[in-house]
Amino acid sequence: MKFIIDRDQLLTAVQNVMKAISPRTVVPILTGIKLEVRQDGITLTGSDADISIESYIPAEEDGMVYIDYIEEGNIVLHSKYFPDIVRKLPENKVEIEADENLKITIRSGKAKFNLNGQDALEYPQLPSLLAADSFEIPIDLLKSLIKQTVFAVSTMETRPILTGVNMKLIDQTLTFSATDSHRLASRTVPIAETGIDFSNVVVPGKSLNELNKIIDDSEEKIQISVTSNQILFRTKRLQFLSRLLDGNYPETSRLIPTQSKTVLYFNTKELLHTIDRASLLAREERNNVVRLTTKENNMVEIASNHPEVGNVTEEIAIASKEGEDLKISFSSKYMMDALKAIDYDEVKIEFTGAMRPFIIHPVEDDSILQLILPVRTF
């Protein structure tokens, strides 16, 4: 096996697959990066059995030659050393060669490294998912679906199903939902005719966070394929395979109130910054609780109190108010997470009472929904 490759291309691919490699894996060869060298290009693979990532570098693309002098072969390289070597090589051209004893030589400029490789035949075969059960969406849309929901997954392993994001595709509507039982984040988008429906697909939050770091914002499409226990995200250069979580995701739609007693309209950034300031004195408390109280003349008071530290109050103007006056307490962290996920200037918050869940929407877009349970403070 032998090839000369562009270092930047190699480094990007290495960094992508490293996100799937865990030093704690029980299968020793999975601590390595698999290289498959073919005349058309090189595929790098990393896996921890839960997530598997394949990153492809074409030999040539759009008139640019990335890989030259290719002699085909496969090998597994130790992920503890190979990424750092590639990152610190002195020049952009890298020559990699393996002999029949799986010894690797890496040359760049005047630098030369010798590494011991492992037999690629020992590396587990990744399952291939059929493209028949697939649909496509723009990459930037997928990134916003992840950003607007994944933060609300549970971090507690007591209910493992809640550590994932529920994906539904029903009647050409794709829904992402996440809840930790104290809050809910949801987003729906229309999808072109696919001929497939599914409802109980739960992707680990960790997988979606890693995928979101790897894929670049673009209007190019990403193909999504689903089976009973795995999901595959595929672009021109990347395949990201994740296991799905076992179990039935709770029906979250019944949490969402259908009517409201009070509706308040805020500037998103102003409300976020006000709650951020109020939370400064609430940090020591478990829930970082702040209070919201409606006042006269379209004003709302945001306050927090810590018996040993002090208290803070700040008034904020609202665009308008509909319905009854209100006094309610909630977690400042949950509220700030929800507001950060909404990329709109104006939000409306619909309340159904001091001890009932309230929902936050962008004023212009009901497809994004954030729900938060209040905290009893009296």
Side-chain angles (χ1 to χ4, degrees):
M1 184 193 91
K2 184 179 177 182
F3 58 92
I4 294 175
I5 189 165
D6 179 278
R7 187 196 61 190
D8 293 344
Q9 295 288 322
L10 181 61
L11 183 59
T12 299
V14 167
Q15 288 171 333
N16 285 346
V17 300
M18 281 297 293
K19 291 185 168 61
I21 296 173
S22 166
R24 294 187 299 277
T25 182
V26 293
V27 184
I29 199 156
L30 289 183
T31 59
I33 297 171
K34 182 182 173 187
L35 265 72
E36 294 176 80
V37 180
R38 298 287 172 267
Q39 289 300 324
D40 60 86
I42 294 174
T43 302
L44 286 81
T45 304
S47 178
D48 67 356
D50 285 341
I51 299 173
S52 301
I53 299 171
E54 287 186 2
S55 193
Y56 176 69
I57 309 166
E60 190 177 335
E61 187 179 62
D62 300 330
M64 295 286 288
V65 175
Y66 297 126
I67 311 167
D68 226 339
Y69 305 105
I70 296 170
E71 290 176 16
E72 295 188 348
N74 303 329
I75 199 159
V76 176
L77 296 175
H78 204 297
S79 65
K80 188 176 177 185
Y81 303 104
F82 186 58
D84 285 339
I85 290 170
V86 174
R87 189 179 299 112
K88 296 183 178 182
L89 289 172
E91 293 189 5
N92 207 36
K93 282 280 175 259
V94 182
E95 181 185 313
I96 297 179
E97 188 173 0
D99 65 20
E100 63 275 9
N101 298 317
L102 303 176
K103 301 233 180 289
I104 286 274
T105 305
I106 303 167
R107 293 185 184 89
S108 177
K110 292 188 169 62
K112 177 182 169 186
F113 290 85
N114 293 310
L115 279 183
N116 295 326
Q118 290 173 276
D119 191 344
L121 291 174
E122 294 173 22
Y123 200 90
Q125 271 296 107
L126 300 188
S128 54
L129 300 194
L130 293 172
D133 302 327
S134 302
F135 63 97
E136 289 187 334
I137 61 172
I139 292 174
D140 50 9
L141 177 58
L142 176 63
K143 284 179 76 77
S144 67
L145 282 161
I146 294 170
K147 178 195 165 195
Q148 286 156 356
T149 54
V150 75
F151 65 86
V153 301
S154 175
T155 54
M156 310 286 284
E157 290 293 338
T158 45
R159 287 186 71 190
I161 198 78
L162 296 187
T163 62
V165 174
N166 182 210
M167 281 175 63
K168 290 183 187 174
L169 179 53
I170 297 171
D171 297 334
Q172 293 173 240
T173 301
L174 178 65
T175 306
F176 275 44
S177 307
T179 182
D180 61 5
S181 75
H182 300 289
R183 56 177 168 178
L184 166 70
S186 174
R187 168 88 191 271
T188 58
V189 294
I191 295 290
E193 180 62 65
T194 62
I196 57 169
D197 279 4
F198 54 79
S199 59
N200 195 46
V201 170
V202 187
V203 189
K206 174 182 176 253
S207 299
L208 289 176
N209 276 321
E210 295 300 352
L211 175 65
N212 201 34
K213 289 175 196 166
I214 294 172
I215 49 176
D216 293 325
D217 241 328
S218 83
E219 292 172 16
E220 282 181 30
K221 295 284 178 76
I222 188 164
Q223 186 188 63
I224 303 173
S225 309
V226 179
T227 66
S228 59
N229 60 0
Q230 289 182 311
I231 185 165
L232 175 67
F233 299 89
R234 190 199 317 252
T235 66
K236 224 169 23 178
R237 286 202 177 196
L238 191 78
Q239 289 204 81
F240 186 104
L241 182 72
S242 171
R243 72 177 177 92
L244 298 175
L245 294 176
D246 291 328
N248 291 314
Y249 202 80
E251 184 48 64
T252 52
S253 57
R254 58 188 171 78
L255 294 171
I256 300 165
T258 51
Q259 53 194 27
S260 54
K261 293 181 179 174
T262 310
V263 184
L264 304 178
Y265 293 81
F266 289 91
N267 176 283
T268 312
K269 278 205 171 70
E270 276 183 32
L271 179 60
L272 174 62
H273 293 155
T274 304
I275 290 171
D276 193 11
R277 285 188 286 273
S279 74
L280 290 173
L281 299 189
R283 275 185 189 155
E284 301 301 315
E285 286 190 78
R286 190 168 58 86
N287 288 319
N288 299 351
V289 175
V290 299
R291 284 189 317 280
L292 179 152
T293 311
T294 54
K295 300 285 188 183
E296 295 176 344
N297 304 321
N298 277 355
M299 298 299 284
V300 163
E301 181 185 88
I302 305 288
S304 99
N305 171 48
H306 192 295
E308 285 123 45
V309 180
N311 62 67
V312 54
T313 59
E314 183 174 346
E315 289 199 343
I316 176 174
I318 52 176
S320 66
K321 181 188 102 176
E322 297 165 12
E324 305 171 2
D325 279 328
L326 177 78
K327 184 182 285 188
I328 193 168
S329 302
F330 48 81
S331 156
S332 59
K333 179 188 183 312
Y334 286 177
M335 189 64 142
M336 285 160 62
D337 285 346
L339 293 170
K340 284 173 188 169
I342 294 174
D343 288 326
Y344 285 85
D345 293 339
E346 307 287 330
V347 288
K348 66 174 177 179
I349 310 182
E350 300 176 40
F351 302 89
T352 49
M355 286 315 300
R356 303 275 300 147
F358 58 91
I359 56 176
I360 309 162
H361 281 296
V363 171
E364 305 154 37
D365 187 355
D366 279 350
S367 74
I368 300 169
L369 178 143
Q370 303 285 340
L371 175 146
I372 297 173
L373 270 66
V375 177
R376 189 185 292 279
T377 56
F378 47 84

